[in-house]
Amino acid sequence: MFVAYYRRSLPGFKQIKHWLDAAEIGQVRHIHWQYTRPPSTIDLAQTRNWRTQKEIAKAGYFEDIASHGLDLMSYFLGPVKQAQGVASNQQGLYSAYDAVAASLLFESGVTGTGFWNFAADRLVDKVQIMGESGQISFSVFEDGLALLESKDKYITYPLDKPSPVQADFVSDIAFHLAGKSLHPSLAESAAHTNWLMDTILKDA
């Protein structure tokens, strides 16, 4: 079973995992993801939208998009063993929550935080991975560069996406079925991401 967390197959994110596996920033201490954006024209018009109906998706756009970045976190750093979150409806444009904040503890001892706000004044999509001897920063959804910084290194790597965007994901399926490599997004890892989302929203 292959689950379409296709960012695990994109070259830019594979490069970030390579940096981490090679201890380019030493032992990882913390990961943080900030994702904010303004309300859309659909939100402002208060048009009916299943993504923001609390009875379908109580945390709104968070449930629609945050899984992709949270899945990357566990791809990079291993399973999360503990998570908690809070949520709020700050702008009152729809029934679902539009603001979520979370704290995480990975099995490795790495800590993590994130916040997602869909009532902000600007788009910000930034992940920072802090290590004992450097830092990696990148965007989950936007094109641009992944950046590795340490005392003696400054390395960038493009995050440009292929067309179609799932081409590398499908190639990885072919390699898996041919017995050449293990696909990075299978049922077990996807189930862990679902558990993580559910746990963050458990008390919301």
Side-chain angles (χ1 to χ4, degrees), residues 52-74:
T52 52
Q53 292 176 240
K54 192 170 185 178
E55 64 272 20
I56 298 174
K58 70 177 180 179
Y61 294 114
F62 171 84
E63 298 204 61
D64 189 25
I65 69 168
S67 58
H68 294 280
L70 291 169
D71 183 75
L72 278 178
M73 288 185 179
S74 58

Side-chain angles (χ1 to χ4, degrees), residues 140-166:
V140 174
F141 296 105
E142 303 302 309
D143 289 333
L145 297 173
L147 171 62
L148 186 156
E149 299 173 275
S150 67
K151 185 170 66 174
D152 56 352
K153 292 180 181 178
Y154 186 94
I155 306 171
T156 61
Y157 194 93
L159 294 176
D160 300 340
K161 300 175 182 65
S163 181
V165 72
Q166 295 198 13

Side-chain angles (χ1 to χ4, degrees), residues 32-142:
H32 175 72
W33 181 22
Q34 174 187 350
Y35 185 91
T36 63
R37 74 184 193 201
S40 69
T41 54
I42 292 175
D43 300 335
L44 293 172
Q46 296 185 287
T47 303
R48 186 172 176 82
N49 178 4
W50 69 264
R51 290 179 176 84
T52 52
Q53 292 176 240
K54 192 170 185 178
E55 64 272 20
I56 298 174
K58 70 177 180 179
Y61 294 114
F62 171 84
E63 298 204 61
D64 189 25
I65 69 168
S67 58
H68 294 280
L70 291 169
D71 183 75
L72 278 178
M73 288 185 179
S74 58
Y75 172 59
F76 293 144
L77 303 174
V80 174
K81 72 174 183 179
Q82 184 178 337
Q84 56 187 6
V86 293
S88 174
N89 183 312
Q90 296 180 339
Q91 59 187 334
L93 293 177
Y94 42 75
S95 59
Y97 297 128
D98 55 25
V100 178
S103 59
L104 315 173
L105 178 62
F106 292 80
E107 290 182 0
S108 62
V110 175
T111 56
T113 51
F115 71 92
W116 304 263
N117 193 294
F118 301 92
D121 72 318
R122 70 195 67 190
L123 173 65
V124 177
D125 178 6
K126 185 175 183 178
V127 179
Q128 295 170 286
I129 304 176
M130 285 73 83
E132 62 179 339
S133 58
Q135 176 175 290
I136 298 169
S137 57
F138 60 94
S139 167
V140 174
F141 296 105
E142 303 302 309

Side-chain angles (χ1 to χ4, degrees), residues 2 6 9 14 162 164-184:
F2 307 97
Y6 60 83
S9 293
K14 285 185 174 180
V165 72
Q166 295 198 13
D168 294 299
F169 180 88
V170 174
S171 294
D172 283 344
I173 290 176
F175 293 143
H176 181 102
L177 295 176
K180 296 179 179 179
S181 62
L182 184 68
H183 197 280

